[in-house]
Amino acid sequence: KRILASLETIKRKLKSLEMLKEKYYSLLSKETSADYSNYQKKNIVISCGGGTPLREENVAEMKKNGKVILLTAKPETILKRVKNNHDRPLLENNKNVEYIRDMMDKRYPKYEAAADITIHTDNKTIFEICEEIIAKARGAAESPVAQS
């Protein structure tokens, strides 16, 4: 009984640590997005972390400096792409389709609201994705209507 109680305590503490880690990365992304305004050059790409568009002030900073392009993929595709990557703290111990799908479902409404352009990247080469980004970005520059 005592061991079970200890395991439950450990589970609660681990969950708290995960929540703190997510809040930390969210705050860090807020600071990073404020730095976007320092970029005065044209035709540059700023790649942000997945938590950055979850805060409205980050989205406002990004939109002040250009178009926000959302790259999407199925959870299975994302898992293939990140399975050997250790630079994604929220996925480090959660590299499975179910976790990725759940995270995407929670974040997607904010991602979609932030995006001026959406590119589906499944089964495309990097070159094809870049070509599509360029084409849609040029079209978005000519028209205020969002591209998808």
Side-chain angles (χ1 to χ4, degrees), residues 81-127:
R81 291 176 181 169
V82 302
K83 69 181 176 188
N84 296 318
N85 184 307
H86 300 286
D87 297 333
R88 299 181 180 271
L90 296 179
L91 293 180
E92 188 57 36
N93 296 311
N94 301 295
K95 290 184 181 165
N96 61 74
V97 171
E98 295 78 22
Y99 185 86
I100 293 169
R101 180 176 288 113
D102 184 54
M103 181 184 284
M104 289 174 67
D105 288 346
K106 288 176 184 171
R107 292 178 170 200
Y108 195 78
K110 291 203 177 203
Y111 286 3
E112 188 176 41
D116 296 307
I117 298 167
T118 300
I119 309 275
H120 302 282
T121 65
D122 292 297
N123 303 313
K124 293 180 184 172
T125 66
I126 293 171
F127 181 79

Side-chain angles (χ1 to χ4, degrees), residues 2-144:
R2 186 178 184 136
I3 293 172
L4 288 176
S6 296
L7 288 174
E8 288 305 313
T9 301
I10 290 169
K11 283 181 188 177
R12 278 196 308 277
K13 290 188 183 217
L14 285 173
K15 190 169 185 171
S16 294
L17 285 173
E18 285 298 314
M19 289 171 51
L20 283 173
K21 187 165 54 170
E22 191 163 346
K23 286 182 191 226
Y24 168 76
Y25 283 103
S26 178
L27 290 171
L28 188 62
S29 70
K30 179 181 178 185
E31 288 179 24
T32 304
S33 66
D35 291 338
Y36 293 155
S37 57
N38 294 331
Y39 293 99
Q40 300 300 319
K41 297 178 181 177
K42 293 186 181 229
N43 299 322
I44 63 168
V45 174
I46 300 172
S47 174
C48 65
T52 303
L54 301 179
R55 292 177 165 266
E56 288 181 29
E57 57 267 30
N58 294 348
V59 174
E61 285 296 321
M62 291 189 295
K63 286 186 174 279
K64 276 197 305 191
N65 295 292
K67 298 290 179 195
V68 176
I69 301 172
L70 170 62
L71 302 178
T72 66
K74 294 176 185 170
E76 295 82 2
T77 302
I78 292 172
L79 179 60
K80 279 188 215 171
R81 291 176 181 169
V82 302
K83 69 181 176 188
N84 296 318
N85 184 307
H86 300 286
D87 297 333
R88 299 181 180 271
L90 296 179
L91 293 180
E92 188 57 36
N93 296 311
N94 301 295
K95 290 184 181 165
N96 61 74
V97 171
E98 295 78 22
Y99 185 86
I100 293 169
R101 180 176 288 113
D102 184 54
M103 181 184 284
M104 289 174 67
D105 288 346
K106 288 176 184 171
R107 292 178 170 200
Y108 195 78
K110 291 203 177 203
Y111 286 3
E112 188 176 41
D116 296 307
I117 298 167
T118 300
I119 309 275
H120 302 282
T121 65
D122 292 297
N123 303 313
K124 293 180 184 172
T125 66
I126 293 171
F127 181 79
E128 290 169 327
I129 295 165
C130 291
E131 288 290 312
E132 191 171 344
I133 290 169
I134 292 166
K136 287 188 175 184
R138 284 185 179 145
E142 295 167 5
S143 168

